[in-house]
Amino acid sequence: MKTIHTEVAVIGAGTAGMTGYRAAKAGGKRTVLIESNVYGTTCARVGCMPSKLLISAAEAAHMLQAAPGFGVHPGQVRIDGKAVMARVRSERDRFVGFVVDSVDGYPAEDKIHGHARFLGPTRLQIDDHTVIEAERFVIATGSTPIVPDEWRAAGPRVITSDDVFYWDELPASVAVAGTGVIGLELGQALSRLGVRVTIFGRGERVAQLGDPEVLKVARKAMADALDVRFQTRVVEVAQEGEELVITSEDIAGMRRTERFSYLLSAIGRRPNVHKLGLENTGLERDHHGIPRYDKQTMQCGGSSIFIAGDADNERPQLPEAADQGRIAGDNAARFPAVQPGLRRTPLTIAFTEPQIATLGASYEELCVSHAGRFAIGKVSFENQGRSRVMLQNKGMLRVYAEFRSGRFLGAEMIGPRAEHVGHLLSWAVQAGLTVDAMLDMPFYHPVVEEGVRTALRDLAHHLANEPAHDRPCVDCTPAP
Amino acid sequence: MKTIHTEVAVIGAGTAGMTGYRAAKAGGKRTVLIESNVYGTTCARVGCMPSKLLISAAEAAHMLQAAPGFGVHPGQVRIDGKAVMARVRSERDRFVGFVVDSVDGYPAEDKIHGHARFLGPTRLQIDDHTVIEAERFVIATGSTPIVPDEWRAAGPRVITSDDVFYWDELPASVAVAGTGVIGLELGQALSRLGVRVTIFGRGERVAQLGDPEVLKVARKAMADALDVRFQTRVVEVAQEGEELVITSEDIAGMRRTERFSYLLSAIGRRPNVHKLGLENTGLERDHHGIPRYDKQTMQCGGSSIFIAGDADNERPQLPEAADQGRIAGDNAARFPAVQPGLRRTPLTIAFTEPQIATLGASYEELCVSHAGRFAIGKVSFENQGRSRVMLQNKGMLRVYAEFRSGRFLGAEMIGPRAEHVGHLLSWAVQAGLTVDAMLDMPFYHPVVEEGVRTALRDLAHHLANEPAHDRPCVDCTPAP
């Protein structure tokens, strides 16, 4: 057993771990980076990048279906599943290569391989070969897709998003469990590529949406494009030959048994905090087992342990992991003189079609922080000029602002080019713009952004007609 | 001859005329709206809307070509030119219908049909049937595509963008003269739809670009995608049977003679101010014959005549026409107590592919207003992650900011999703953001906006390393 003494130990070499490591080093501290798996981030290896590669192929396939609407006829379409997956994997490998190259650039003595477990608040056991004594720690252990044990028992045809991007060929059929971002993105992409796909949702969730009116439009848009069954649970899974026999049950108790090549479990991801020996750190933890931490400093309680990325389950996405890792690493180096880092306006995008974007304060947050104190504007994209020109006239945007100040607070949307509208509006939130200031901004023609303007005009109208109420809110402030 | 007495006369019922008319009426003035042609704006009838319809069809056709790169193979592609043009015309007619419906809603007594000509500063002759005595005027007469007389003499196969959208079928071949926005948008769209297209540019212009580095990339991108011949003039045009025989000459004096179905003259648009009898108004005019006016009030000199839209040749595009018309009509009603209206940050988009966007202060403007006082950042889209995922990794963005203040001033770009990047960056200019504030904003992953961030980081680096110079600029301010 080797013992290593260091100032900072970063556990996990994903996105958060890498920015954390670099920040701690930049802070002048001796730092080690511990990884139990291969290098390469969740994003590059099995997340954002390969999923977007698959989605790009799916969009090409979909455009062939949509083209006749413009007078353009594609003839007999052939989807070369092997070629689709070969491009996904080779480009993915290229992106992973950049990550691995980065890690290769770190000094060898800083990198430790193995599973880390806290023995005490300043001591880690790495597999059975090393003990690390450190003053400060960054937990950046990421997350893992959840697969219920009873599904796992059905064998290797029950898979997660991790497995899809290692396929050599597109399968005949896939059942997807979960209507979150991952289930919908992958389910829709596979469906467009000719795979028979059924998506099961226990509830009526659609990606990250929370606004009931947008959700209603989103459910319809998804159900129009896909075999999505809301309020329907997968209750039995069994392998039979080369297939899975899957029984689902809807809210009325109706059962249905079907056969699929795979069951893709996309019901959520669990932060990797359960095999870390956190019980030996003395840290206070929430009911998910995640240490309680400060969102501005990433510090766990008053300790010298910091947490970042998917492991803290706050905003599981690459830009957040990078920011949080940077703050955690920087504060690990500064400890005990920690300071708040840059937390940006929330922005989440689902690359479904129509795309889904949420930004700033969510509808549900505002119902708590601004009950009766925020106005809502909206636009449907059904008749939005440019969207119609592109045959993408589906969706809805709802925008929120604070009465009195007129300050823009957030939005939820399903519709064309939501990824770009999401950036525009999240920047407006962060810049502290009022709705009037936004309406004074340039809007070209004909563009999807004119739909945003319609929603903002509606919002301005509602702001100008604040309903009477008797619960004065003396200190309303924009939610996060 | 009838004589009508009114308070405000608006000449031209296009976009600027319509907003001008409504603003003057909202200002409480008796107002007439004079139109010599059919109702329906340039934008709806022969401009933005039908061109975007044609471009959407062209994008569908292009996607069929691009799809094999993703592993998706179309069969025997067939472009149904009749169906393409039928959709363009029917959707165009729908958009025009909205405009006509608007005009139909105006009181009949407010609408006068005929060509208007100033008899004096307060008097208009309409054809030979009416004289209008008015206190105030709004000139909103729009513009007309330029066709040199020697081309016009070659007969009806020499056309302008006005004619394209009345086609029933796609022609076999088109020569396009002009590499401005209209020539490139239409030339590329027709080319993608299977029409043999050659685009001739007298110089090396590409749409509205002025930044030499972006121009270089843009020229190459256009030449890769299209038969564009820069520095080549059309010197002879003659009809022979059902074709035109066109001779062009390049900068080296080499001549080449080819046959095309049509010659599309896209060398520019001329403001419709030459048959207005402006010589009878006493207004001072520039060398184009356009009255000198104030860009904030749209007032011509100190007179009660205002000008708006394409007629003033400042920013010939719909959103500007609408704004200018609104200001002109409002100030016509207020006259003599005119006041500055809302002029927005400039934003121009060319819907080519890659798209082209310019916003805020242009490179050329900054070379005058901020000589040696602005920094430049840039990004190439060749290796930008998301652009590569979409197989749209072409282009360049250059961003400009003021030394010392760090304030973001403008950008020029050719690249993917430039229409959206254009909105994001023009809003940032108008909000007065610094480059540092922009870098603190949310950037999702993987998105084209991450390319913008790369350019902004480069810009921040240059801002932090201001070169020494000896020409202090004591009052540098952001250009328009």
Side-chain angles (χ1 to χ4, degrees):
Chain A
M1 186 80 67
K2 195 163 97 180
T3 298
I4 292 175
H5 294 267
T6 189
E7 288 170 305
V8 180
V10 177
I11 312 169
T15 302
M18 289 169 71
T19 59
Y21 165 78
R22 284 196 295 254
K25 295 274 281 190
K29 298 296 176 192
R30 274 183 295 126
T31 305
V32 297
L33 180 62
I34 305 154
E35 174 61 56
S36 64
N37 206 322
V38 293
Y39 291 119
T41 63
T42 298
C43 168
R45 196 174 284 283
V46 293
C48 356
M49 296 314 290
S51 64
K52 259 83 275 172
L53 286 160
L54 194 72
I55 287 167
S56 284
E59 279 176 358
H62 177 72
M63 187 46 105
L64 268 53
Q65 296 227 306
F70 298 102
V72 175
H73 300 275
Q76 184 69 36
V77 174
R78 182 175 60 86
I79 292 169
D80 180 347
K82 279 202 170 67
V84 167
M85 294 311 303
R87 175 172 192 258
V88 168
R89 281 180 290 110
S90 81
E91 285 290 302
R92 184 268 311 269
D93 290 347
R94 189 174 156 271
F95 289 118
V96 170
F98 296 144
V99 176
V100 173
D101 286 352
S102 274
V103 178
D104 281 349
Y106 305 162
E109 64 272 23
D110 289 0
K111 289 178 282 192
I112 294 171
H113 198 273
H115 175 78
R117 195 167 177 285
F118 281 96
L119 299 173
T122 60
R123 227 145 73 101
L124 287 177
Q125 171 79 49
I126 310 301
D127 288 349
D128 53 3
H129 53 74
T130 308
V131 167
I132 295 178
E133 288 275 359
E135 296 165 8
R136 310 115 195 264
F137 298 86
V138 175
I139 299 170
T141 43
S143 62
T144 307
I146 298 170
V147 183
D149 290 340
E150 60 273 26
W151 297 358
R152 181 75 79 190
R157 292 190 165 269
V158 176
I159 58 170
T160 72
S161 51
D162 286 7
D163 303 299
V164 168
F165 309 111
Y166 290 91
W167 283 343
D168 292 326
E169 173 59 289
L170 292 170
S173 57
V174 176
V176 177
T179 55
V181 172
I182 295 169
L184 290 176
E185 281 188 2
L186 293 183
Q188 185 177 41
L190 292 171
S191 167
R192 288 178 158 197
L193 288 166
V195 177
R196 175 170 61 85
V197 171
T198 298
I199 305 179
F200 298 96
R202 289 176 70 101
E204 296 199 282
R205 180 179 170 201
V206 178
Q208 77 275 27
L209 291 170
D211 183 310
E213 285 208 33
V214 181
L215 263 169
K216 203 159 71 182
V217 173
R219 272 183 217 117
K220 182 164 177 347
M222 287 297 138
D224 284 351
L226 284 165
D227 180 14
V228 191
R229 307 199 198 138
F230 292 106
Q231 298 190 297
T232 302
R233 295 178 309 131
V234 170
V235 290
E236 276 177 38
V237 186
Q239 178 147 1
E240 255 189 49
E242 295 292 283
E243 288 187 318
L244 291 176
V245 178
I246 295 177
T247 303
S248 58
E249 183 179 295
D250 71 15
I251 195 171
M254 279 287 280
R255 289 198 166 207
R256 190 163 161 185
T257 298
E258 291 151 294
R259 288 167 174 273
F260 295 92
S261 308
Y262 292 99
L263 170 62
L264 171 59
S265 180
I267 58 174
R269 296 179 67 92
R270 182 180 290 127
N272 296 328
V273 292
H274 294 281
K275 295 178 187 164
L276 272 177
L278 287 175
E279 62 279 10
N280 302 325
T281 58
L283 294 178
E284 190 189 346
R285 287 171 291 154
D286 69 14
H287 62 285
H288 295 296
I290 300 166
R292 297 198 185 279
Y293 68 97
D294 182 299
K295 290 183 184 184
Q296 307 305 317
T297 62
M298 309 315 289
Q299 184 182 20
C300 299
S303 78
S304 64
I305 302 176
F306 299 80
I307 190 166
D310 284 14
D312 66 38
N313 209 26
E314 184 197 338
R315 301 187 203 161
Q317 49 172 254
L318 175 127
E320 289 290 337
D323 281 349
Q324 293 178 17
R326 213 173 284 121
I327 299 169
D330 182 57
N331 276 331
R334 292 178 186 278
F335 180 81
V338 302
Q339 63 183 32
L342 171 67
R343 296 302 306 268
R344 302 169 209 255
T345 297
L347 169 63
T348 302
I349 297 164
F351 294 83
T352 47
E353 190 180 309
Q355 292 186 328
I356 294 169
T358 53
L359 55 105
S362 71
Y363 177 83
E364 286 166 347
E365 285 166 344
L366 289 170
C367 287
V368 175
S369 67
H370 281 67
R373 302 294 150 181
F374 72 107
I376 302 174
K378 73 174 175 182
V379 66
S380 160
F381 286 94
E382 298 266 328
N383 268 315
Q384 202 275 318
R386 178 70 184 293
S387 306
R388 191 176 155 117
V389 164
M390 299 189 294
L391 293 178
Q392 292 177 21
N393 50 325
K394 275 191 172 185
M396 173 172 282
L397 163 66
R398 294 232 298 176
V399 285
Y400 319 122
E402 190 173 54
F403 280 122
R404 312 290 169 90
S405 73
R407 188 164 161 174
F408 181 63
L409 299 175
E412 301 200 17
M413 167 179 184
I414 180 165
R417 310 294 176 96
E419 61 179 303
H420 304 298
V421 172
H423 280 87
L424 189 70
L425 293 183
S426 65
W427 285 36
V429 169
Q430 188 161 320
L433 297 184
T434 63
V435 174
D436 284 346
M438 293 165 78
L439 283 168
D440 282 353
M441 292 288 178
F443 292 88
Y444 208 68
H445 179 76
V447 291
V448 170
E449 285 81 355
E450 291 172 291
V452 175
R453 184 175 61 192
T454 303
L456 291 172
R457 284 178 176 161
D458 185 42
L459 181 55
H461 173 78
H462 289 294
L463 283 174
N465 294 283
E466 184 177 0
H469 44 62
D470 50 15
R471 290 174 301 151
C473 171
V474 291
D475 59 352
C476 270
T477 50
Chain B
M1 188 77 69
K2 195 164 99 180
T3 298
I4 292 175
H5 294 268
T6 189
E7 290 171 304
V8 180
V10 177
I11 311 170
T15 302
M18 289 169 71
T19 58
Y21 165 79
R22 285 197 294 253
K25 294 276 280 191
K29 298 295 175 191
R30 272 183 296 124
T31 305
V32 298
L33 181 63
I34 305 155
E35 174 62 55
S36 65
N37 207 322
V38 293
Y39 292 118
T41 62
T42 297
C43 167
R45 196 174 283 285
V46 293
C48 356
M49 296 315 289
S51 64
K52 259 84 274 173
L53 286 160
L54 194 73
I55 287 167
S56 284
E59 279 176 359
H62 177 71
M63 188 45 105
L64 268 53
Q65 297 228 305
F70 298 102
V72 174
H73 300 273
Q76 184 67 38
V77 174
R78 183 175 59 87
I79 292 169
D80 179 348
K82 280 204 168 69
V84 168
M85 293 310 302
R87 176 172 192 256
V88 169
R89 282 181 288 108
S90 80
E91 285 290 303
R92 184 268 312 271
D93 291 348
R94 188 173 157 273
F95 288 118
V96 170
F98 296 143
V99 176
V100 173
D101 286 351
S102 274
V103 178
D104 281 349
Y106 304 163
E109 64 272 22
D110 288 1
K111 289 178 283 192
I112 294 170
H113 197 274
H115 176 78
R117 196 168 179 284
F118 280 97
L119 299 173
T122 60
R123 228 144 72 101
L124 289 177
Q125 172 80 48
I126 310 300
D127 288 348
D128 53 2
H129 54 73
T130 307
V131 167
I132 296 177
E133 288 275 0
E135 297 165 6
R136 311 118 194 262
F137 298 85
V138 174
I139 298 170
T141 44
S143 62
T144 306
I146 298 169
V147 183
D149 290 341
E150 60 273 27
W151 296 358
R152 180 77 79 191
R157 291 192 165 269
V158 176
I159 58 170
T160 71
S161 52
D162 286 7
D163 303 299
V164 168
F165 309 111
Y166 290 91
W167 284 343
D168 291 326
E169 173 59 288
L170 292 169
S173 58
V174 176
V176 177
T179 54
V181 173
I182 295 170
L184 290 176
E185 281 189 0
L186 293 183
Q188 185 176 40
L190 292 171
S191 167
R192 288 180 158 196
L193 288 165
V195 177
R196 175 170 61 85
V197 171
T198 298
I199 305 179
F200 297 96
R202 289 177 70 101
E204 295 199 282
R205 179 180 171 203
V206 179
Q208 77 276 24
L209 289 171
D211 183 310
E213 285 209 34
V214 181
L215 263 169
K216 203 159 71 181
V217 173
R219 271 182 217 119
K220 179 162 179 350
M222 288 297 138
D224 284 351
L226 284 165
D227 181 14
V228 192
R229 307 199 198 139
F230 292 106
Q231 299 190 297
T232 302
R233 296 177 309 129
V234 171
V235 289
E236 276 178 38
V237 187
Q239 179 147 1
E240 254 188 50
E242 295 291 285
E243 289 187 318
L244 292 176
V245 178
I246 295 177
T247 303
S248 57
E249 183 179 296
D250 70 15
I251 195 170
M254 279 288 279
R255 289 198 166 206
R256 189 163 161 184
T257 298
E258 291 151 295
R259 290 168 173 271
F260 293 92
S261 309
Y262 293 98
L263 171 60
L264 170 60
S265 180
I267 58 173
R269 297 180 67 93
R270 183 179 288 126
N272 297 329
V273 292
H274 295 280
K275 295 177 185 164
L276 272 178
L278 287 175
E279 61 281 10
N280 302 324
T281 57
L283 293 179
E284 188 189 348
R285 286 172 291 156
D286 68 15
H287 62 285
H288 294 297
I290 299 166
R292 296 198 186 278
Y293 69 97
D294 182 299
K295 289 183 184 184
Q296 307 305 316
T297 63
M298 309 315 290
Q299 185 181 19
C300 298
S303 78
S304 64
I305 301 176
F306 300 80
I307 191 165
D310 283 14
D312 67 39
N313 209 27
E314 185 197 338
R315 300 185 203 163
Q317 49 172 252
L318 176 127
E320 288 291 337
D323 280 350
Q324 293 178 16
R326 212 173 285 122
I327 298 168
D330 182 56
N331 276 331
R334 292 177 186 279
F335 180 82
V338 303
Q339 63 181 34
L342 171 68
R343 295 302 305 271
R344 302 169 210 254
T345 297
L347 169 63
T348 301
I349 296 164
F351 294 84
T352 48
E353 189 180 311
Q355 293 187 327
I356 294 168
T358 53
L359 56 105
S362 73
Y363 177 83
E364 286 166 347
E365 286 166 344
L366 289 171
C367 287
V368 176
S369 68
H370 281 67
R373 302 294 151 182
F374 72 107
I376 301 175
K378 74 174 174 182
V379 67
S380 159
F381 286 95
E382 298 266 328
N383 269 314
Q384 202 275 319
R386 179 69 183 292
S387 307
R388 190 176 156 118
V389 164
M390 300 189 294
L391 292 179
Q392 292 176 23
N393 49 326
K394 275 192 173 186
M396 173 173 281
L397 163 68
R398 293 232 299 174
V399 286
Y400 319 122
E402 190 173 55
F403 280 122
R404 311 290 169 91
S405 73
R407 188 166 160 171
F408 182 62
L409 298 175
E412 301 200 18
M413 168 180 183
I414 181 165
R417 309 295 175 94
E419 60 180 301
H420 305 297
V421 172
H423 279 87
L424 188 70
L425 293 183
S426 64
W427 285 36
V429 170
Q430 187 161 319
L433 297 184
T434 63
V435 174
D436 284 346
M438 293 165 78
L439 283 169
D440 282 353
M441 293 290 180
F443 292 88
Y444 208 68
H445 179 76
V447 291
V448 170
E449 285 80 357
E450 291 173 290
V452 175
R453 183 176 60 191
T454 303
L456 292 172
R457 283 177 177 163
D458 186 41
L459 182 55
H461 173 78
H462 290 294
L463 283 174
N465 294 282
E466 184 177 0
H469 43 62
D470 51 15
R471 290 174 301 151
C473 171
V474 291
D475 58 352
C476 270
T477 51

